[in-house]
Amino acid sequence: MTGTRQKENGENRDQAPHYAENHAYRMQTSLTPDERARGQASAKLIRKELEKVRQEGGAGEHGAFGEERIAAALSRLGCGEEHGVYVGPGFYSVHTGVACVSGRVAEDELTSEVFGAYAEPQPGTGPCVENRGGH
């Protein structure tokens, strides 16, 4: 047997050896209640600005808004590369200095999530985008 037996919530479950070490790159920093509140306040400002993009219309393929429009909206808030901003088609992430705010911007949705930065984020994206590979 190559796996190990671990208890989680009082139940036994199989786990591959070195699972925790091999997935450590997905770990996020913890946020204190104050940091989470500050992140949520930033998320509210970001959503308000991105809602303007949605109201202007002109979504592209699959209802997602283009990177240029999302980046311009974040720039109006003073968010740039120095804030770990990463923008993709219909997606944004910003590091506020204490928390990450990420979400989707599409014709039919505007989302935001507040969380701690990744230990090993996706290279070239800033601290708030989960690494798709490994370490």
Side-chain angles (χ1 to χ4, degrees):
M1 180 171 164
T2 60
T4 59
R5 199 92 158 128
Q6 306 233 334
K7 283 200 170 212
E8 183 175 298
N9 298 329
E11 295 181 20
N12 287 326
R13 67 182 185 100
D14 287 326
Q15 190 174 55
H18 307 290
Y19 181 88
E21 300 94 52
N22 291 338
H23 291 83
Y25 68 94
R26 292 183 174 169
M27 292 180 60
Q28 295 170 283
T29 57
S30 299
L31 296 176
T32 66
D34 180 60
E35 290 169 335
R36 182 164 301 282
R38 290 169 58 193
Q40 289 170 334
S42 295
K44 185 176 178 179
L45 293 173
I46 290 168
R47 285 178 59 95
K48 184 177 179 180
E49 195 63 37
L50 292 173
E51 184 60 42
K52 294 176 188 176
V53 172
R54 290 183 64 220
Q55 289 174 356
E56 292 168 1
E61 189 175 353
H62 306 291
F65 287 93
E67 298 172 30
E68 302 81 22
R69 293 186 61 200
I70 297 170
L74 295 173
S75 179
R76 288 192 293 270
L77 292 171
C79 300
E81 286 187 29
E82 68 276 11
H83 298 101
V85 170
Y86 177 75
V87 177
F91 173 80
Y92 69 94
S93 69
V94 177
H95 190 264
T96 67
V98 295
C100 291
V101 179
S102 293
R104 308 244 352 117
V105 187
E107 205 168 40
D108 60 348
E109 74 174 333
L110 174 58
T111 65
S112 63
E113 178 184 3
V114 176
F115 55 93
Y118 286 98
E120 294 181 36
Q122 181 67 24
T125 64
C128 302
V129 178
E130 183 178 9
N131 192 320
R132 293 185 304 257
H135 61 115

